[in-house]
């Protein structure tokens, strides 16, 4: 039960509840065969969910999330011989993710982009049904005398199918947007609607760990086929959309990918105390159902329209709205490049591991990772020369260049999802760890990472960002990513006092995440938000957190014990701001979220 910053008493309630139930049966069916079946239930209830992209959402405009999830897993393992091992697994997930209304919600959703507020009702409501079936199987084969060394082979496959279905509705099928209290534009939706999309992922892989003398080489290759499709579906019409039906569509997309991996480690002195390690790996970036969802003509979609509130009642009416200035979702005519290929990541690592004395180990590892072949959207209906640069004043002084669309192209849209060679994301980092194993009644671990994460990428390409629009590429090339954290320090340890009372501490420090001030401007193509500086020039304050624990175990029987625990989270009661309003205007810089305050917790664990 928390309170939300920036909202008046009675509107700042945030109550959450989570319940988990786990049941598991393991049976040794025979000396060489074992069966495991497990059921897991997760009930996650967020009674006033507010993470809609705006800083301040009143209670009536928040979501009510009563989310049940059921997971069933089975595993069969067999020792086929002393050198051959089989593992097969199956899992099924059934999850309902609702974002429903509060009983006090009324009228349409009113959003102020400058003040970053949402009132009245939530922007949209949804019920998301997600199911997933997955089967994995692999065999491992060991041979200590092949080609002059020891081999550990592994061959396997994975097959997964998933459904993502949504029911959407919006109060009045429209959101009213204000700029510092002034009616400005609306966002219309094609609600009510029902949407379904399916995916399948099939993979085969082979790997070998080959050891000869002091050298171990790991080789692997993985083949994946990713496929998406949309079943036939339709929806009734609403205030801004007509009734519609769409036929089944297959191969959205149908992509094959082959990726290699190689790594090596070398025992420098042959005594197991000093090891050099290096690797190169290529990974196909994971995909969910976003391909078929984005290409689903029955998907959530709509338009943006300018709004002049003629009768000054704060409610948009048909005679107060312009023609659409831009579109989003399935209504925007999105197609898929037939030559599209999978996004991938190349990773190189190199490091050293050194044992120091009897109980201490030191590791230093360098990581380089680059995401390539990234995807974006291009609006092929508007040429690059259809934008005119104009100067907009900044409240802090000076101007910024934005790009106004020539009137004849306003509302024109034919987007295509395609690979954009100039897009990339890159990470460089070096990590140091020092571990002291439990001995002489104490243990410790320390880790420090120094890194940089940069990119040239029009992010969120699956929504409404046209990579051809120069407003979307302002301050993009070479900026740090949203998760860039140059310095991370972690220190944890445990000491056993007399009477086996354990005292533990966990300290974390990290550089504040970057933030980007944005300016909302009115152009021919509607209202556009642009960054006013390169991301990374301004950051949130650095975060410093200390957690403490005291624990003691008591025997309660020959094979049972109870461990009592006293936890103190955020022991120093740090109140660092970790989120604030970044839209330039009256609310700019207003804190939205601070660190969770000091919490005292009691717990007990029974083992038998």
């Amino acid at each position: 039960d928390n309170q939300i910053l920036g909202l008046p008493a009675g509107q700042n309630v945030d109550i959450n509840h989570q319940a988990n139930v786990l049941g598991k049966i393991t049976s040794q069916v025979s000396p060489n065969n074992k069966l495991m079946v497990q059921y897991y239930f997760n009930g996650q209830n967020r009674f006033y969910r507010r993470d809609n992209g705006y800083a301040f959402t009143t209670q009536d405009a928040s979501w009510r999330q009563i989310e049940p999830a059921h997971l069933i897993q089975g595993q069969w393992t067999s020792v086929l011989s002393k050198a051959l091992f089989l593992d097969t697994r199956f899992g099924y997930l059934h999850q309902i993710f609702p974002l429903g209304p509060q009983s006090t919600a009324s009228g349409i959703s009113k959003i102020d982009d400058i003040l970053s507020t949402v009132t009245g009702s939530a922007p949209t409501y949804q019920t998301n049904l997600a199911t997933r079936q997955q089967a994995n199987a692999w065999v491992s084969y060991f041979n200590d005398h092949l080609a002059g060394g020891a081999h550990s082979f592994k061959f396997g496959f994975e097959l997964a199918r998933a459904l993502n279905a949504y029911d959407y509705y919006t109060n009045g099928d429209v959101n009213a947007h204000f700029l510092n209290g002034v009616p400005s534009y609306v966002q219309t939706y094609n609600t009510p609607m029902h949407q379904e999309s399916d995916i399948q992922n099939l993979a085969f892989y082979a790997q070998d760990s080959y050891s000869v003398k002091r050298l171990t080489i790991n080789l692997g290759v993985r083949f994946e086929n990713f496929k998406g499709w949309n079943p036939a579906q339709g929806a009734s019409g609403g205030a801004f959309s007509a009734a519609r039906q769409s036929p089944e569509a297959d191969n959205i997309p149908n992509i094959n990918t082959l990726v290699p991996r190689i790594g090596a480690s070398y025992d420098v002195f042959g005594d197991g105390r000093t090891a050099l390690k290096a690797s190169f790996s290529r990974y196909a970036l994971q995909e969910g159902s976003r391909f078929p969802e984005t290409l689903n003509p029955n998907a959530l979609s709509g338009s943006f329209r300018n709004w002049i509130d003629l009768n000054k009642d704060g409610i948009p009416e048909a005679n107060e709205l312009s023609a659409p200035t831009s579109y989003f979702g399935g209504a925007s005519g999105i197609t898929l490049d037939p030559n599209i290929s999978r996004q991938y990541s190349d990773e190189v690592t190199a490091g050293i591991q050194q044992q120091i004395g009897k109980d201490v180990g030191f590791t230093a590892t360098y990581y380089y990772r680059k995401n390539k072949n990234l995807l974006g959207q291009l609006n092929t209906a508007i040429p690059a020369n259809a934008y005119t640069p104009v100067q907009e004043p900044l409240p802090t002084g000076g101007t910024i260049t934005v790009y106004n669309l020539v009137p004849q192209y306003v509302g024109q849209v034919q987007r295509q999802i395609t690979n954009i060679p100039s897009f990339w994301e890159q990470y460089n980092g070096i990590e140091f760890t020092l571990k002291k194993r439990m001995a002489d009644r104490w243990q410790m671990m320390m880790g420090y990472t120094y890194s940089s994460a940069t990119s040239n990428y029009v992010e969120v390409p699956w929504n409404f960002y046209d990579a051809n629009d120069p407003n979307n590429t302002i301050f993009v090339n070479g900026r740090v990513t949203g998760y860039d954290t140059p310095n991370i320090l972690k220190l944890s340890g445990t000491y056993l006092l007399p009477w086996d009372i354990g005292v533990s501490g966990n300290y974390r420090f990290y550089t504040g995440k970057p933030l980007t001030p944005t300016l909302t401007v009115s152009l021919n193509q509607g209202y556009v938000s642009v960054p006013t500086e390169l991301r990374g020039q301004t950051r949130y304050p650095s975060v410093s957190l200390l957690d403490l624990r005291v624990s003691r175990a008591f025997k309660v029987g020959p094979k049972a014990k109870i461990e009592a625990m006293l936890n103190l989270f955020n022991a120093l009661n740090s109140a660092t701001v970790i989120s604030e309003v970044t839209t330039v205007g009256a609310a700019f810089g207003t804190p939205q979220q601070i660190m969770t305050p000091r919490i005292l917790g009691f717990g007990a664990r029974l083992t038998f």
Side-chain angles (χ1 to χ4, degrees), residues 8 51 71 86 115 153 155 167 229 292 325 331 412 447 461 547-548 562:
D51 50 351
L71 180 64
L86 170 69
L115 301 180
F153 296 100
F155 307 92
D167 287 283
W229 69 95
T325 56
Q412 300 297 311
D547 298 336
L548 300 174
I562 291 179

Side-chain angles (χ1 to χ4, degrees), residues 131-370:
T131 65
R132 182 180 179 92
Q133 308 92 40
Q134 181 160 335
N136 296 1
W138 66 84
V139 292
S140 298
Y141 173 68
F142 306 94
N143 190 316
D144 292 334
H145 307 286
L146 180 63
H151 291 261
S152 176
F153 296 100
K154 188 175 181 180
F155 307 92
F157 85 93
E158 301 171 1
L159 175 63
R161 299 189 67 165
L163 161 72
N164 239 2
Y166 295 87
D167 287 283
Y168 286 104
Y169 75 92
T170 307
N171 283 3
D173 299 331
V174 66
N175 295 165
H177 283 258
F178 300 77
L179 297 180
N180 204 16
V182 179
S184 299
Y185 69 97
V186 299
Q187 184 173 2
T188 70
Y189 293 89
N190 63 342
T191 51
M193 54 149 293
H194 174 79
Q195 169 191 346
E196 292 184 15
S197 296
D198 297 89
I199 61 167
Q200 176 179 287
N201 201 83
L202 175 64
F204 298 91
Y205 59 90
Q207 62 189 60
D208 178 29
S209 180
Y210 173 50
S211 299
V212 55
K213 295 183 180 179
R214 291 183 283 174
L215 178 66
T216 298
I217 300 175
N218 298 302
L219 298 170
V221 63
R222 180 182 178 92
F223 168 81
E224 283 192 21
N225 171 262
F226 176 81
K227 178 182 177 181
W229 69 95
N230 289 317
Q233 55 199 281
S236 60
F240 296 91
S241 60
R244 57 203 177 276
Q245 292 289 328
S246 57
E248 180 179 4
D250 203 0
N251 298 322
I252 317 173
N254 192 338
I255 303 178
N256 295 321
T257 309
L258 187 69
V259 292
R261 292 163 197 171
I262 182 171
S265 62
Y266 182 69
D267 184 352
V268 178
F269 302 109
D271 57 3
R273 297 175 64 88
T274 306
L276 299 177
K277 296 185 175 183
S279 70
F280 168 80
S281 302
R282 174 166 290 183
Y283 301 95
L285 296 186
Q286 290 297 303
E287 293 292 348
S289 57
R290 61 181 185 171
F291 271 109
E293 285 181 16
T294 305
L295 274 294
N296 192 332
N298 196 51
L300 183 69
S301 61
S303 67
F304 295 92
R305 305 171 186 230
N306 292 329
W307 169 33
I308 299 177
D309 190 14
L310 298 175
N311 59 7
K312 310 299 182 183
D313 64 351
I315 304 296
E317 298 171 2
N319 66 317
E320 300 175 338
L321 306 180
S322 72
T325 56
S326 60
Y327 296 90
F328 67 91
S332 60
I334 300 176
T335 60
L336 187 66
D337 184 346
N339 299 314
I340 201 168
S341 57
R342 191 82 172 260
Q343 303 179 113
Y344 64 89
S345 178
D346 284 340
E347 182 182 80
V348 176
T349 69
I352 182 172
Q353 290 183 327
Q354 176 66 54
Q355 183 175 336
I356 304 172
K358 182 178 65 173
D359 304 317
V360 179
F362 172 78
T363 302
T365 307
Y366 168 74
Y367 296 90
Y368 169 81
R369 185 182 307 114
K370 191 164 188 176

Side-chain angles (χ1 to χ4, degrees), residues 446-461:
M446 182 177 67
Y448 171 71
T449 302
Y450 177 76
S451 65
S452 69
T454 55
S455 68
N456 177 28
Y457 186 32
V458 177
E459 295 160 352
V460 204

Side-chain angles (χ1 to χ4, degrees), residues 34-74:
K34 180 184 289 187
L35 173 68
M36 184 278 289
V37 178
Q38 176 176 288
Y39 168 76
Y40 177 72
F41 169 81
N42 170 239
Q44 184 164 313
N45 302 327
R46 299 183 63 180
F47 296 97
Y48 300 98
R49 182 167 182 153
R50 289 176 162 91
D51 50 351
N52 52 27
Y54 297 92
F56 309 113
T57 299
T58 56
Q59 190 168 309
D60 53 1
S62 64
W63 286 304
R64 184 173 173 84
Q65 175 192 338
I66 310 298
E67 177 190 356
H70 308 268
L71 180 64
I72 300 173
Q73 292 179 302

